Amino acid sequence: MIITDKYTLEELKNGYSINNNNAYQCICCGAVFEDGEVFRFGERFFNAERAIKLHMAAEHPQRLTELLDCGSRYLQLTQNQKELLACIGAGLTDNQIAEKLGVTPSTVRHQRFMFRERAKSARMYLAAWEIAVSGAEKSKAKPEEEFLPIHEEAKMIDDRYNITEKENQQILDGAFESLSPLKLKQFSPKEKKKIVILRRIAEQFEKNRHYSEKEVNQILEAIYDDYVTIRRYLIEYGYMDRTKDCKDYWLR
């Protein structure tokens, strides 16, 4: 999963960024190329800047496909639109795309036009936002209340996620008997409280680790008696995922 907030437009397009240690890092697989070192590709050696580009060409040649399949909530495209963009990226003509997707050439032309209009709108919005943020940074002005970041796999973004740091702490204090060890008093039916509670419970699981259903149940039962409900909502709200046979769970 690509954490969109971390990268610039150019970094998202290129597939790599320069981290705090001045190293080139692939945002697709995490590979790191330290500045000042040399890296071997075939029979030749290259510096970090050239090496990351060779890495992208060799390991991630389908950059557009990776972006379209990244699962980010910010990429609001239908499956048909993703397929059409992939065809455009492959250099197919309108007639070839129409034949491949089973639509008319006029439909393809219309969708190309809509893509261009959306891109124009996105560029204008991005320019306005960056100017506004730059002005705020220069004046050192800060919002009166900071909102908590929304997790990448949130299923539907609305006012439920407008949660300030103060609200978050108030909900935690009211919902849990103890925060260490974590012990839930009552699982609230109110959406905003539900999100805060689930966020904290999800923190009990390790990233990049897989759990059996028994292990998940053991962790959740120690937090709240009705662990089945908590487990279901962790899945529904996008904090965790599982295989179809429910044998394997992981943090998203």
Side-chain angles (χ1 to χ4, degrees), residues 155 187 194 198 216-217 220 226-240 242 249:
K155 298 295 180 70
F187 189 58
K194 194 181 294 183
L198 291 172
V216 172
N217 290 345
L220 296 180
D226 188 3
Y227 60 88
V228 175
T229 295
I230 301 297
R231 188 185 68 208
R232 174 164 57 86
Y233 277 114
L234 285 171
I235 300 295
E236 287 186 8
Y237 280 67
Y239 288 98
M240 297 191 76
R242 63 186 174 189
Y249 289 72

Side-chain angles (χ1 to χ4, degrees), residues 160-221:
R160 295 176 298 170
Y161 288 92
N162 293 339
I163 304 169
T164 65
E165 293 282 359
K166 183 178 179 180
E167 285 178 310
N168 182 68
Q169 192 58 53
Q170 288 174 341
I171 293 171
L172 290 176
D173 291 341
F176 290 92
E177 294 178 10
S178 168
L179 295 178
S180 183
L182 201 62
K183 194 69 178 177
L184 181 63
K185 288 190 291 190
Q186 184 177 6
F187 189 58
S188 175
K190 294 184 177 180
E191 289 297 316
K192 186 172 286 192
K193 291 184 178 181
K194 194 181 294 183
I195 289 168
V196 171
I197 291 169
L198 291 172
R199 182 201 301 269
R200 176 51 65 94
I201 292 176
E203 292 174 358
Q204 307 310 300
F205 295 88
E206 297 177 23
K207 195 73 173 174
N208 300 321
R209 175 182 168 183
H210 286 247
Y211 298 83
S212 67
E213 186 169 83
K214 182 179 179 180
E215 289 174 320
V216 172
N217 290 345
Q218 288 174 339
I219 292 172
L220 296 180
E221 191 173 13

Side-chain angles (χ1 to χ4, degrees), residues 12 30 35 37-39 45 55 66 96 106 111 114 119 126 131 166 211 217 221 229 231 236 240 249:
L12 287 170
D35 190 32
E37 296 184 11
V38 293
F39 302 87
F45 292 86
H55 168 80
E66 289 187 339
Q96 289 171 327
S106 62
Q111 192 60 63
M114 295 305 298
L126 182 60
I131 291 171
K166 183 178 179 180
Y211 298 83
N217 290 345
E221 191 173 13
T229 295
R231 188 185 68 208
E236 287 186 8
M240 297 191 76
Y249 289 72

